[in-house]
Amino acid sequence: MSDSSTSVDLVTTLRALLRGLSPGDRLPSSRELIARHHVSPVTVARAIAQLAAEGAVVTRPGSGTYAATPRTRPGEGPADTAWQTIALTDRAVDTRSITDGLGPAPAGTLLLDGGYLHRSLQPTRALGAALARAARRPDAWDRAPTSGLAALRAVFAGIAGGGVTPEDVLVTAGGQSALSMVFRAVAAPGSPVLVECPTYPGALASARAAGLRPVPVPMDDDGVRPDLLADAFAMTGARLFYCQPTYHNPTGTVLSADRRRQVLDVARAAGAFVVEDDFARHLGHGGPTPRPLVADDRDGTVVHLTSLTKPAAPSLRVGALVARGPVMERLRALRRVDDFFVPRPLQEAALELVSSPAWDRHVRGLATALRDRHAELSAALAREVPGWTVARPVGGGLHLWVRLPVGADAGAAARAARQVGVAVSVGDRYFAAEPAEACLRLGFAATADRAELAEAARRLGQL
């Protein structure tokens, strides 16, 4: 080989040599390769590095280069990734609470387990028009501010009400992203976080992924019990309480007016934050919707999050965090570290949507549609499955919380429902600890129409 030989030539030569070697056999030393093939030390180093990257050889500093075992050679069997088990330690991300253990529903299944609006309920034309207008903006693809577009932050500040200003708002990539940011920003790994019992499974998964320990606090028909919340703060030393005061998922409960004040008082006394998940702000069924907790908070106790995803469409991943004081600075810092900013075209489209007359029409029409669907499913269940009890009438949201007869198994009921072509959510997923009772969550917004809801109830009556 001449002095002009490249590392590519040497790699080809060494591959031929490796075909005659057994795993563990030693290759010639770098000095031998330089002398034998008349190449430079750099050429040898590059060739060995490429073969090592391919898994063809193993280098041992101070010892030499050896032929790798066949399982690590490209195309000769599965790669050995067992080493990752040690490298990843024990920080597993548990998604069992947000995935269906029964797997994807077969075609034709009536979906009562969905958490988003059916396409027929989405403002698809308004979304398309908003996206088109946003794309025509000359600065649509420019970098967005870390906190979000000023005009969009003003919209979210207006939705929150009270003394919230645009400077108190941080635009996020939907509600789930906001949850993850708050849990990582406020509490250290290993810390407890208080949650309502039952609660949103996505919050449980996000808290555990951040290394936090969810601690359940019981609810009744008026929401979380302030007396037990105070006890939980005292017993655990928690500095964070996650709650959904308005149209709670899964029960639909609205925290009563007197308890709203008590919850804030209890949290202030404990020196703790209240994370208010206001996901259902635009999912009321036509009646008055209570003010957010953050609207009456003057001390920075409440970290408020909301989203446009639920009332619009699954892929409109735009939401907001509202916070005051040092916690907002930490949240902004996390935004810079995570992804700098939410993509500007999506923010522009969201702003176009909520600023148009079509948005108000959509929200009013959605309220009527959800109220009718709620009534349809409630009546059908009472008729077809009288042994099941709808926990309470709800004034907003997308779900019914159903209690099964004493002694029933919610998992078995969900499996049986799948057999008759209906997908439901097992209630056990909504509890941070042992479930207090056998329940199912039944959604009424993911089906095509009210007729499908009636048919789903009829099929459930066969169980």
Side-chain angles (χ1 to χ4, degrees), residues 443-459:
F444 47 78
T447 55
D449 51 34
R450 293 167 57 186
E452 284 195 358
L453 293 173
E455 173 59 18
R458 187 194 66 78
R459 295 183 187 181

Side-chain angles (χ1 to χ4, degrees), residues 22-111:
S22 299
D25 286 350
R26 188 175 182 276
L27 273 68
S29 68
S30 295
R31 181 176 298 177
E32 291 172 322
L33 292 174
I34 292 169
R36 183 182 305 175
H37 300 288
H38 305 291
V39 295
S40 70
V42 173
T43 298
V44 172
R46 288 175 177 172
I48 295 299
Q50 180 173 336
L51 292 171
E54 295 173 356
V57 299
V58 176
T59 59
R60 299 172 187 168
S63 176
T65 303
Y66 298 83
T69 56
R71 63 181 179 179
T72 62
R73 290 179 178 172
E76 295 186 11
D80 182 5
T81 59
W83 64 272
Q84 294 184 5
T85 300
I86 298 171
L88 291 172
T89 67
D90 61 349
R91 287 293 304 278
V93 178
D94 188 351
T95 61
R96 287 174 295 179
S97 63
I98 56 175
T99 55
D100 191 338
L102 299 179
T109 302
L110 299 178
L111 303 178

Side-chain angles (χ1 to χ4, degrees), residues 123 126 282 308 311-312 316 353-364:
H282 298 290
L308 298 176
L316 188 64
L353 176 68
V354 298
S355 301
S356 69
W359 176 248
D360 290 333
R361 292 195 297 270
H362 165 68
V363 172
R364 290 195 301 270

Side-chain angles (χ1 to χ4, degrees), residues 2-251:
S2 68
D3 291 338
S4 62
S5 298
T6 65
S7 61
V8 174
D9 299 321
L10 184 56
V11 166
T12 301
T13 301
L14 291 179
R15 285 197 184 115
L17 174 63
L18 285 166
R19 284 195 288 270
L21 298 179
S22 299
D25 286 350
R26 188 175 182 276
L27 273 68
S29 68
S30 295
R31 181 176 298 177
E32 291 172 322
L33 292 174
I34 292 169
R36 183 182 305 175
H37 300 288
H38 305 291
V39 295
S40 70
V42 173
T43 298
V44 172
R46 288 175 177 172
I48 295 299
Q50 180 173 336
L51 292 171
E54 295 173 356
V57 299
V58 176
T59 59
R60 299 172 187 168
S63 176
T65 303
Y66 298 83
T69 56
R71 63 181 179 179
T72 62
R73 290 179 178 172
E76 295 186 11
D80 182 5
T81 59
W83 64 272
Q84 294 184 5
T85 300
I86 298 171
L88 291 172
T89 67
D90 61 349
R91 287 293 304 278
V93 178
D94 188 351
T95 61
R96 287 174 295 179
S97 63
I98 56 175
T99 55
D100 191 338
L102 299 179
T109 302
L110 299 178
L111 303 178
L112 301 189
D113 63 342
Y116 297 109
L117 299 180
H118 186 269
R119 190 175 302 155
S120 62
L121 296 176
Q122 298 170 17
T124 50
R125 293 182 63 182
L127 278 166
L131 191 59
R133 292 194 299 271
R136 290 194 295 268
R137 291 179 177 269
D139 56 354
W141 294 97
D142 289 354
R143 175 172 178 152
T146 297
S147 294
L149 299 180
L152 185 58
R153 288 188 284 117
V155 169
F156 280 118
I159 293 172
V164 174
T165 69
E167 287 67 38
D168 301 326
V169 177
L170 174 66
V171 176
T172 67
Q176 193 67 27
S177 172
L179 263 180
S180 177
M181 291 178 65
V182 172
F183 286 146
R184 288 183 292 131
V186 175
S191 302
V193 53
L194 306 185
V195 299
E196 296 160 316
C197 182
T199 192
Y200 168 50
L204 297 177
S206 185
R208 288 168 177 150
L212 308 184
R213 296 183 292 106
V215 177
V217 182
M219 301 172 60
D220 58 24
D221 287 351
D222 291 321
V224 68
R225 289 181 50 180
D227 57 333
L228 297 181
L229 180 64
D231 290 344
F233 273 126
M235 293 175 63
T236 65
R239 292 294 178 265
L240 189 61
F241 171 49
Y242 167 79
C243 62
Q244 302 166 94
T246 303
Y247 311 136
H248 173 267
N249 176 15
T251 66

Side-chain angles (χ1 to χ4, degrees), residues 329-384:
E329 294 308 313
R330 183 171 295 184
L331 289 167
R332 289 196 187 103
L334 268 178
R335 161 62 67 233
R336 295 187 186 98
V337 171
D338 281 355
D339 51 14
F340 298 115
F341 53 87
V342 175
R344 185 166 189 143
L346 199 57
Q347 291 193 57
E348 296 281 10
L351 180 59
E352 289 281 354
L353 176 68
V354 298
S355 301
S356 69
W359 176 248
D360 290 333
R361 292 195 297 270
H362 165 68
V363 172
R364 290 195 301 270
L366 181 61
T368 301
L370 293 179
R371 182 179 66 243
D372 292 346
R373 283 166 172 255
H374 168 266
E376 180 71 44
L377 183 57
S378 297
L381 289 174
R383 181 175 64 251
E384 304 288 350

